[in-house]
Amino acid sequence: MVDIAKWREGVYADKGDEKDAAKGIFLINERSDKAVLMIHGYGGYPGEMQSLAELYSKEGFSVFVPRLPGMGTTREDFRRSDWADWLDYSMAAYKDIMENYGNVILLGHSMGVFISLILAAKFSPRSLILIAPPFSTSSGLGIDELVSLSTDGYEKKIPWHSDKRFRLHYPGAPKDDEALGNEYWSYFQARNFLSFEILKKMAKLRMSDVKCRCAVFYSPVDPVAPSDNIEEDFSMLENKEFFVLEGGTHEPMYDISEDVEEELKEKMLSFSLSGNEQ
């Protein structure tokens, strides 16, 4: 059996309490040999994956959606965690799942795309699903500037407000979304964005080592992760298939458009099942 508690050994230990929306989602099917590990994005939380987790669970998968260290609690925890914590935790999770299931799908959203690519290059899952890849997302600052600002602990308040049009699926929504938005998305922290850039660079360097089949889902009008260079971004990935979500946002898992969310789920599940027959 997987040992979820052990995944956090050696990584940053959060001091704040996790919000209900941020609690890990673990739907275990003891009679199945197939599993999916979902990795959320920068400042994200497991509740964002609620509908996808339920979708795979209904198809007989064991589903694991862990909360990355430093996220889903407080801004101070986020500031104290970094790329190594996020990657090491995800790696521990994948290794444990891999040892218990013969058929593993790896799914990443936004920054989780970078982590998923790094893991896929090392472990070669059965299939890889990447949603809203943020290779073109930028703070407008160079690495040297981010390093300098990180050293000084630079933090800046930025505009953020919740958008009631999104159809959140986790229990207790939208209360926690508001709380987490005020903790995470209302601030730019140089140290955390430097970690984002480090993972991006690592993913690019390791992409040519990814040999499993891969589905890339993106929207041409994603306001967070521009897709103008999507072909170039994934030029080193051999076995890939692109799926365009016309009119989608950066969060197609609970998109403003129900049609976009349903399209994502339908095509994602079809891709997953076509490569995961037992």
Side-chain angles (χ1 to χ4, degrees):
M1 292 181 61
V2 297
D3 189 348
I4 295 169
K6 292 191 68 174
W7 301 352
R8 291 195 174 271
E9 292 182 357
V11 301
Y12 173 76
D14 300 294
K15 305 299 188 295
D17 295 330
E18 64 182 2
K19 302 293 188 292
D20 288 340
K23 295 182 185 299
I25 301 170
F26 306 110
L27 307 176
I28 310 301
N29 183 343
E30 296 182 353
R31 294 182 293 180
S32 176
D33 188 42
K34 55 188 181 181
V36 56
L37 170 62
M38 301 183 183
I39 303 175
H40 66 74
Y42 181 88
Y45 54 91
E48 295 179 308
M49 303 290 198
Q50 183 75 39
S51 65
L52 302 189
E54 293 173 357
L55 178 74
Y56 277 93
S57 180
K58 289 177 181 177
E59 290 295 330
F61 287 81
S62 284
V63 182
F64 301 88
V65 193
R67 177 181 63 82
L68 297 180
M71 304 187 203
T73 56
T74 65
R75 190 168 79 256
E76 181 64 15
D77 279 335
F78 193 38
R79 188 176 67 82
R80 291 181 178 275
S81 65
D82 63 16
W83 68 270
D85 296 307
W86 309 336
L87 180 58
D88 288 350
Y89 178 64
S90 300
M91 191 170 297
Y94 186 87
K95 288 172 67 176
D96 192 18
I97 294 167
M98 179 179 64
E99 290 172 0
N100 287 274
Y101 294 87
N103 184 340
V104 182
I105 294 175
L106 188 55
L107 184 154
H109 169 248
S110 195
M111 189 191 73
V113 165
F114 303 153
I115 296 174
S116 296
L117 282 166
I118 296 167
L119 295 184
K122 183 176 179 65
F123 297 113
S124 193
R126 179 66 62 88
S127 299
L128 179 62
I129 296 173
L130 308 176
I131 303 172
F135 280 104
S136 295
T137 299
S138 173
S139 66
L141 301 172
I143 292 293
D144 290 342
E145 290 177 281
L146 284 171
V147 170
S148 178
L149 291 172
S150 297
T151 302
D152 295 336
Y154 179 81
E155 178 181 87
K156 179 183 179 181
K157 190 81 165 63
I158 57 177
W160 179 84
H161 63 85
S162 62
D163 189 333
K164 306 300 184 185
R165 295 176 297 168
F166 282 99
R167 299 168 306 103
L168 302 170
H169 298 295
Y170 64 84
K175 173 179 62 69
D176 287 347
D177 184 65
E178 293 277 358
L180 291 168
N182 289 323
E183 287 288 326
Y184 294 91
W185 311 316
S186 295
Y187 293 86
F188 170 77
Q189 294 180 324
R191 184 173 184 271
N192 293 127
F193 205 86
L194 176 60
S195 285
F196 177 94
E197 291 291 344
I198 290 171
L199 289 173
K200 180 195 296 185
K201 185 173 183 179
M202 292 175 68
K204 286 184 175 180
L205 290 173
R206 297 299 308 275
M207 197 179 297
S208 61
D209 295 326
V210 176
K211 304 305 179 185
C212 64
R213 59 198 297 270
C214 176
V216 180
F217 290 87
Y218 71 94
S219 168
V221 294
D222 184 336
V224 176
S227 60
D228 296 347
N229 300 316
I230 193 79
E231 295 281 353
E232 181 180 348
D233 291 337
F234 286 94
S235 61
M236 299 300 292
L237 191 62
E238 291 182 7
N239 189 5
K240 60 182 178 287
E241 185 174 356
F242 291 108
F243 295 89
V244 183
L245 300 172
E246 297 289 353
T249 67
H250 188 60
E251 292 82 19
M253 311 88 64
Y254 52 95
D255 207 276
I256 292 171
S257 166
E258 185 174 358
D259 290 341
V260 169
E261 180 184 332
E262 291 306 312
E263 180 181 6
L264 168 69
K265 290 158 71 172
E266 177 185 348
K267 292 182 177 179
M268 184 181 66
L269 190 59
S270 177
F271 177 85
S272 300
L273 295 179
S274 67
N276 285 275
E277 296 86 354
Q278 294 297 298

